[in-house]
Amino acid sequence: MAVSLKVELLGRVRRAVRRPHLRLGQFEALIDATGDAFVAVDEDGVIAEWNEGARAVFGWSADQAVGRRAVELLVPPASRAEFERRLASFVAGDGGEAAGRAETTALHRSGRRMPVEVTVAPVREGGRWIFNALVQDLSERKQAEQALREAEERFRRAFSDSAIGMAIASPEGRWIAFNGALVKLTGYEPERLLGMRFSEITHPADFAGDADALEALVAGQSDVFQAERRYLHAGGRLIWVGLTVSAIRDADGRTLYLVAQMQDITERRGATERLEHQALHDPLTGLANRVLLRERATMARDRLRRTGEPFAILFVDLDHFKKVNDTLGHEPGDRLLVAVAARLLDLLRTSDTAARFGGDEFALICEGVDADGARRVGTRIIEAFERPFTVGEAEVTLTVSVGMCVVDDPAISLKRVLRNADAAMYAAKAEGRSRWALFRGGKASEAAGSESQAVPASAPASSKPV
């Protein structure tokens, strides 16, 4: 029920009290049942009616309030003259306004000033004016509004002054607002950034998984989305960002907008990647170490189990490398090992793996290679080492012994595969070095054997295996 209509009805009820068949107790019960503060003031400013709601709002009982002047009981001192002037103007018919709704300040019994909303409906009774009013204490609402304003101000300052990038986005992921830190983070001018989507600055490979996660967030299936993602800086470089996105929803659970926080973690991510690289790579040559070699071999065996595609593991050992170290010294020897690693990498495809197995021994994994392919790879490795290496001012010629094992049975253990390739490498050395040896009987159930072949010096060289 509209407040003004309620006031009018209360006025009618009050006039009905004059009827003999409606007792005063019934009238008071009707007024109290409204739950609002009801006050009736006559044209002299004297309080004529006062219900329980008024007692709750102002602290005065009906016995204490009725018969007293409203201006003294309810109006703060600074506003009393204006109250009296407006009342007199209306009663005199000078055009003064009394009906309607307004927010003002009233006085509590304790002396506390409080914000109220007053709705007044003047009526004529016996040739005199009665002003029926409903009064609502706005203290809680005003406090809530003030708290909301303060919270909004705190958010605004936190948003604007934050050292990390912050943004408000539409449920579709389009930027609506952002702070200076985000502008600095992404490098885009504000007018360019405004209206862009998450997807436009996220690396395509990273956003593929984000779309489903953001859709679940907007649909209310999750409350927050966190990830580490690569962003495309306006300058063209990639930056790593720690991303947290949460949803702001209305009372019905509908997502109104998204709040995103973004922190530049490029340096930390780089440090992490360097640590991961150090844990899996040889510090001298940069090739994979034994740990990564075994991981790649496990992956190759899993692929063999799924597709039936064989792979080969090759051990490459430098012949008489100790003499090189003794002649040139360890530092030139290390430079020579780095050059050897680079030459081996040049022989491989991107799908293959080269590792330093230890000292002057290297290991290779060549996927999709059967026995014939392994023989060709072994030949090319031998041929590649016919060219001398330059170390400082010296030229060094090295030969290598290569042991190979082809894996076509996923049941064989990796430990046995490595042992077989190592055995083949020692067989090549025993046959006179500068040659390859292929382990025969690569299946777990077969007996071990080998075939060995020296590569003629005149054989044509090739830089890539089949």
Side-chain angles (χ1 to χ4, degrees), residues 365-409:
I365 300 175
C366 298
E367 301 204 35
V369 171
D370 57 14
D372 288 338
R375 294 183 185 98
R376 289 192 290 271
V377 174
T379 298
R380 289 168 182 170
I381 292 174
I382 301 297
E383 292 170 347
F385 278 79
E386 293 176 356
R387 291 181 287 112
F389 293 87
T390 301
V391 181
E393 297 181 356
E395 280 195 350
V396 179
T397 300
L398 288 175
T399 61
V400 292
S401 297
V402 182
M404 303 177 296
C405 178
V406 175
V407 183
D408 54 12
D409 179 6

Side-chain angles (χ1 to χ4, degrees), residues 34 77 173 245 318 340 374:
T34 66
V245 184
L318 305 183
V340 168

Side-chain angles (χ1 to χ4, degrees), residues 190-202:
E191 55 272 17
R192 174 73 178 89
L193 196 59
L194 190 64
M196 291 179 70
R197 294 176 180 269
F198 286 137
S199 56
E200 292 182 69
I201 64 172
T202 305

Side-chain angles (χ1 to χ4, degrees), residues 41-44 90-93 122-125 127-131:
V41 179
D42 65 20
E43 63 182 32
D44 296 324
F90 181 83
V91 172
V123 295
R124 294 284 289 181
E125 288 189 17
R128 290 171 60 82
W129 286 106
I130 293 292
F131 302 92

Side-chain angles (χ1 to χ4, degrees), residues 63-209:
D63 292 340
Q64 295 169 322
V66 173
R68 296 182 62 178
R69 287 179 56 78
V71 70
E72 298 171 354
L73 199 70
L74 307 178
V75 181
S79 304
R80 289 173 182 173
E82 176 63 15
F83 179 87
E84 295 276 31
R85 185 194 67 76
R86 295 182 65 181
L87 177 64
S89 175
F90 181 83
V91 172
D94 295 337
E97 187 65 39
R101 182 186 304 179
E103 289 189 10
T104 185
T105 302
L107 199 62
H108 188 269
R109 180 180 181 179
S110 65
R112 171 175 58 86
R113 293 163 58 91
M114 58 184 181
V116 294
E117 182 182 77
V118 182
T119 304
V120 180
V123 295
R124 294 284 289 181
E125 288 189 17
R128 290 171 60 82
W129 286 106
I130 293 292
F131 302 92
N132 298 310
L134 285 180
V135 183
Q136 183 180 5
D137 184 357
L138 301 181
S139 298
E140 290 188 5
R141 193 183 83 183
K142 293 295 185 180
Q143 290 171 2
E145 290 174 352
Q146 179 63 24
L148 179 60
R149 284 193 296 270
E150 292 175 355
E152 289 175 344
E153 178 63 17
R154 286 195 297 270
F155 176 79
R156 186 192 66 77
R157 290 183 179 179
F159 184 89
S160 300
D161 301 339
S162 176
I164 65 175
M166 295 188 69
I168 298 174
S170 70
E172 297 76 32
R174 191 180 297 279
W175 307 116
I176 298 173
F178 41 81
N179 64 357
L182 182 64
V183 173
K184 182 179 180 181
L185 174 68
T186 62
Y188 290 96
E189 293 296 328
E191 55 272 17
R192 174 73 178 89
L193 196 59
L194 190 64
M196 291 179 70
R197 294 176 180 269
F198 286 137
S199 56
E200 292 182 69
I201 64 172
T202 305
H203 191 284
D206 289 351
F207 189 76

